[in-house]
Amino acid sequence: MKKRKVIVITDGDDVARQVIEEVAKIIGGRCISRSAGNPTPYNGNELVEMIKSTPNDPILVMFDDNGRGYKGEGERAIEFITKHPDIEVLGAIAVASNTKFVEGTTIDFSIDRNGKRVESGVNKDGDPVGGPLRVYGDTVDILDKLDMPVIVGIGDIGKMRGRDHIKHGSPITLKAIQTILEWSEQHEEKHET
């Protein structure tokens, strides 16, 4: 059986759901709308079944710990899916939040609220924060413990002081997802040559 190609998104509120549904249409992929919720309403096994029954890739799946600083439902589901033999995770969108007492995650780069690739973390508004390549959020700590091919940091999906609003086509989220897809294609080409 061919592995299903998934992009992990660490946000699942109603605004994020609307944005991810629209972005999935733009890229010709699918979104597991039922994965949205605060917190994530399904466990990893249930999400894998939904992923397997989705007609085409890539599949955008949302995970959310509802502001909790500890390992919650969303992070447990990310861990399960990432380690599942039938799933190939192409990368993750690490969404910044104001959650306190979190470790954060190492990222490869961020897309700031102006749509620029920056070599630093960003905050919830999508502003670069300088310092190490880290993003702090309620559902991102687990990413450091998993073998993610690429992790892109962004601010709060569909927000970022209006810059990622759905009426503007959510350009920041779209660019972050397109960047993961481009990275994955380049990586695949290198393996094939």
Side-chain angles (χ1 to χ4, degrees):
M1 180 184 170
K2 193 174 172 193
K3 288 188 176 192
R4 303 308 305 272
K5 297 180 186 301
V6 166
I7 294 177
V8 167
I9 295 131
T10 67
D11 195 1
D13 65 20
D14 195 50
V15 172
R17 179 189 54 76
Q18 292 174 49
V19 167
I20 299 305
E21 287 172 346
E22 286 305 307
V23 168
K25 289 177 195 166
I26 293 167
I27 65 166
R30 297 301 282 239
C31 165
I32 304 285
S33 296
R34 290 167 60 196
S35 67
N38 297 95
T40 297
Y42 296 95
N43 65 35
N45 197 46
E46 292 166 325
L47 288 170
V48 164
E49 292 310 309
M50 290 179 210
I51 289 165
K52 286 181 175 182
S53 67
T54 302
N56 59 304
D57 299 340
I59 304 163
L60 311 181
V61 187
M62 294 165 276
F63 302 87
D64 202 304
D65 278 348
N66 196 24
R68 295 182 178 97
Y70 56 84
K71 185 177 178 181
E73 293 89 340
E75 287 187 286
R76 281 194 287 274
I78 292 171
E79 187 173 33
F80 185 89
I81 283 170
T82 303
K83 294 178 177 181
H84 198 282
D86 298 335
I87 307 288
E88 178 188 353
V89 174
L90 302 180
I93 304 290
V95 179
S97 73
N98 292 330
T99 306
K100 296 186 184 330
F101 312 114
V102 294
E103 295 170 23
T105 187
T106 305
I107 56 170
D108 292 283
F109 54 87
S110 295
I111 305 294
D112 73 8
R113 71 189 188 99
N114 297 311
K116 293 192 169 96
R117 178 176 165 155
V118 294
E119 302 301 316
S120 80
V122 290
N123 63 19
K124 185 174 176 145
D125 289 328
D127 297 316
V129 294
L133 278 164
R134 288 192 82 70
V135 161
Y136 299 91
D138 62 342
T139 320
V140 304
D141 290 0
I142 193 68
L143 300 179
D144 256 352
K145 298 167 181 72
L146 302 170
D147 187 22
M148 287 283 170
V150 61
I151 301 174
V152 180
I154 65 171
D156 204 357
I157 289 178
K159 299 167 190 166
M160 296 180 238
R161 293 192 200 148
R163 297 286 179 92
D164 198 46
H165 198 283
I166 197 163
K167 72 182 178 192
H168 304 305
S170 306
I172 314 309
T173 302
L174 176 60
K175 184 167 185 179
I177 289 171
Q178 287 174 328
T179 303
I180 288 175
L181 292 172
E182 287 163 14
W183 188 95
S184 179
E185 280 175 26
Q186 291 166 0
H187 190 71
E188 255 180 48
E189 285 169 13
K190 283 179 187 171
H191 279 324
E192 287 170 6
T193 55

